Amino acid sequence: MGVSAVVWVLTVLAIVGLLAFDYFFHVRSAHVPTLREAAVWSSLYVGIAIAFGLGTLVIGGTGMGSEYFAGYITEKALSVDNLFVFLIIMTSFRVPRENQQKVLLVGIVISLIARAGFIFLGSALLNTFAWVFYLFGLALLITAGNMLKPQTEESHSAQNVIVRLARRLFPTTENYDEDKLITHQNGRRVMTPMLLVMVAIGGTDLMFALDSIPAIFGLTQNVYVVFTATAFSLLGLRQLYFLLDGLLDRLIYLSFGLAAILAFIGAKLILHALHENNLPFINGGEPIEVMEISTGLSLVVILVVLVITILASLFSTRGRTQTAMANIRRDALAYLDAEYTDDANERERLFARLQESKEHIIALGPKAKQIVKNETELMELCARVIETRQTSTKS
């Protein structure tokens, strides 16, 4: 089904309008969103995406509608996995809690622009060269293999090439100046860490786009569906970050599920490439009659894999323990950092979660305790927080 220029313009304006609304009514005034606020707005954006999908189903037909939902669910799952890396970057740069929303929104805008460029480039390549399906398929299989490697905080670095280059070329401060990107120091204009963390998030988004765009093209080649599914999966990502805070580390099997999904889509792309084959060194340049995987089957596989991996993560003792370990480390360092937040409620939330995580580690059985390799370090962090809290209460 073709989509008119009017529909394209209206869709883009609607997405820009949602981003503008998000900025002026939520992000412009720096604050720490409550769990209720994050849940309400995250649900609203998911509702908008589902409503759009139902409209696509009615107007565009079953095929177009199922392609949209398959693409949206896949991109949303990949976005959740990406949030873990965003969390590491935020922690590395010690971004004040009140300013994290602005960093995330800028990251989403950069990601949308980058993905739009990759989408139209990818579409042009696929329409011109059928063999590009082979490249996309192989790229997804390689990505799937990489996702099976253990991912830890040490696996990712906020100090990526772009950030290191920015630090070398431009003067930067060590401390934040509220949410300013540029400030004055010793009579000259210098960059703040706020700008650097946005650069880090933006650079990371570019790398994510290289994985996610081939994945959705493996489900549909309809550019409008690819664009809208990608855009709606990114909208609401800011709220989801705060909603899943404390649970991201618990999704320990999500990367395995995503690896399985990407491998499945990669295989689907290669089968399609064989069906459209025109490479002279494969079957003499003639198409090969192979089984092609329908979008309906793809949607079922994606949903089943995600449900299994998410439930397995949530009910896993290892997952709960890993969450407790990560929470103690991050919450303790944040609580001890005087610049992290001025919000008293946020400090109370950190302390309460720290205590809960500490009790979980202490209550572990002998076998489960083998997971905790640095219990002494974690307990020392907890003791430092308690001592700081008692000192501040007395004063």
Side-chain angles (χ1 to χ4, degrees):
M1 176 183 172
V3 177
S4 67
V6 174
V7 173
W8 267 104
V9 170
L10 291 175
T11 302
V12 171
L13 287 176
I15 291 169
V16 172
L18 286 171
L19 289 170
F21 174 83
D22 215 13
Y23 175 76
F24 286 105
F25 289 92
H26 294 103
V27 176
R28 191 178 186 183
S29 177
H31 70 286
V32 180
T34 63
L35 186 63
R36 182 178 181 278
E37 178 186 340
V40 168
W41 287 103
S42 184
S43 300
L44 179 63
Y45 278 107
V46 171
I48 292 172
I50 292 174
F52 183 87
L54 293 175
T56 304
L57 198 66
V58 171
I59 299 172
T62 305
M64 190 173 179
S66 58
E67 287 176 357
Y68 168 82
F69 279 112
Y72 172 76
I73 293 169
T74 301
E75 292 295 308
K76 197 70 174 178
L78 287 169
S79 297
V80 171
D81 190 54
N82 297 344
L83 286 180
F84 176 68
V85 182
F86 289 171
L87 178 62
I88 293 172
I89 292 174
M90 295 282 198
T91 304
S92 300
F93 278 97
R94 297 171 51 246
V95 181
R97 187 71 167 176
E98 289 86 347
N99 296 332
Q100 289 182 4
Q101 292 195 95
K102 183 171 287 187
V103 173
L104 287 168
L105 186 61
V106 170
I108 289 170
V109 172
I110 294 173
S111 186
L112 259 176
I113 295 171
R115 278 165 167 73
F118 282 125
I119 286 168
F120 290 109
L121 176 62
S123 176
L125 289 173
L126 290 173
N127 288 331
T128 307
F129 308 106
W131 51 263
V132 174
F133 284 106
Y134 285 115
L135 292 182
F136 279 12
L138 288 172
L140 289 181
L141 291 176
I142 292 170
T143 301
N146 289 333
M147 293 189 81
L148 294 176
K149 298 176 182 178
Q151 298 291 312
T152 63
E153 294 198 15
E154 289 73 25
S155 303
H156 305 280
S157 173
Q159 304 297 326
N160 59 36
V161 175
I162 300 176
V163 172
R164 289 198 299 270
L165 185 63
R167 282 189 184 276
R168 183 172 299 177
L169 295 177
F170 304 101
T172 59
T173 64
E174 293 298 325
N175 300 317
Y176 288 87
D177 185 4
E178 297 178 345
D179 62 351
K180 295 178 182 177
L181 305 182
I182 304 292
T183 189
H184 287 83
Q185 188 178 69
N186 299 326
R188 63 173 183 166
R189 289 162 59 87
V190 293
M191 295 193 309
T192 69
M194 190 71 173
L195 181 55
L196 288 178
V197 72
M198 288 180 178
V199 170
I201 293 284
T204 306
D205 278 330
L206 290 175
M207 298 305 298
F208 290 155
L210 295 175
D211 296 335
S212 66
I213 298 307
I216 194 168
F217 268 120
L219 298 168
T220 176
Q221 284 81 61
N222 186 316
V223 180
Y224 183 76
V225 172
V226 171
F227 176 76
T228 51
T230 301
F232 282 115
S233 72
L234 291 173
L235 292 173
L237 196 61
R238 174 184 64 80
Q239 294 86 347
L240 194 62
Y241 174 87
F242 292 96
L243 183 62
L244 294 181
D245 185 28
L247 285 178
L248 289 173
D249 296 282
R250 191 163 174 178
L251 300 175
I252 59 173
Y253 299 124
L254 179 61
S255 59
F256 294 103
L258 290 174
I261 290 170
L262 293 181
F264 172 80
I265 297 174
K268 183 177 185 292
L269 273 169
I270 290 175
L271 287 173
H272 181 73
L274 290 170
H275 192 268
E276 302 289 328
N277 178 63
N278 58 8
L279 293 178
F281 53 85
I282 298 178
N283 197 39
E286 296 296 322
I288 302 173
E289 292 300 323
V290 293
M291 176 193 72
E292 289 217 68
I293 302 170
S294 67
T295 304
L297 177 59
S298 299
L299 181 56
V300 171
V301 169
I302 291 166
L303 285 171
V304 169
V305 171
L306 284 177
V307 168
I308 291 173
T309 52
I310 290 172
L311 289 178
S313 296
L314 294 178
F315 288 100
S316 164
T317 300
R318 177 177 290 274
R320 290 194 295 272
T321 302
Q322 185 166 308
T323 301
M325 292 165 59
N327 283 349
I328 288 176
R329 188 181 301 109
R330 279 197 286 264
D331 291 347
L333 294 176
Y335 192 93
L336 295 169
D337 185 354
E339 296 182 355
Y340 178 69
T341 181
D342 294 325
D343 190 320
N345 292 328
E346 173 63 11
R347 292 184 67 82
E348 285 301 312
R349 184 189 71 86
L350 287 174
F351 185 76
R353 192 169 69 175
L354 183 72
Q355 290 289 80
E356 182 182 341
S357 299
K358 175 186 174 183
E359 290 169 6
H360 174 82
I361 298 294
I362 293 173
L364 285 173
K367 289 185 178 180
K369 274 212 171 186
Q370 295 176 5
I371 303 171
V372 187
K373 304 295 184 183
N374 55 345
E375 183 178 357
T376 303
E377 176 196 346
L378 296 177
M379 293 302 109
E380 286 176 355
L381 278 172
C382 291
R384 285 177 58 194
V385 169
I386 293 172
E387 182 182 350
T388 301
R389 183 181 177 84
Q390 289 173 345
T391 303
S392 61
T393 302
K394 290 177 183 178
S395 59

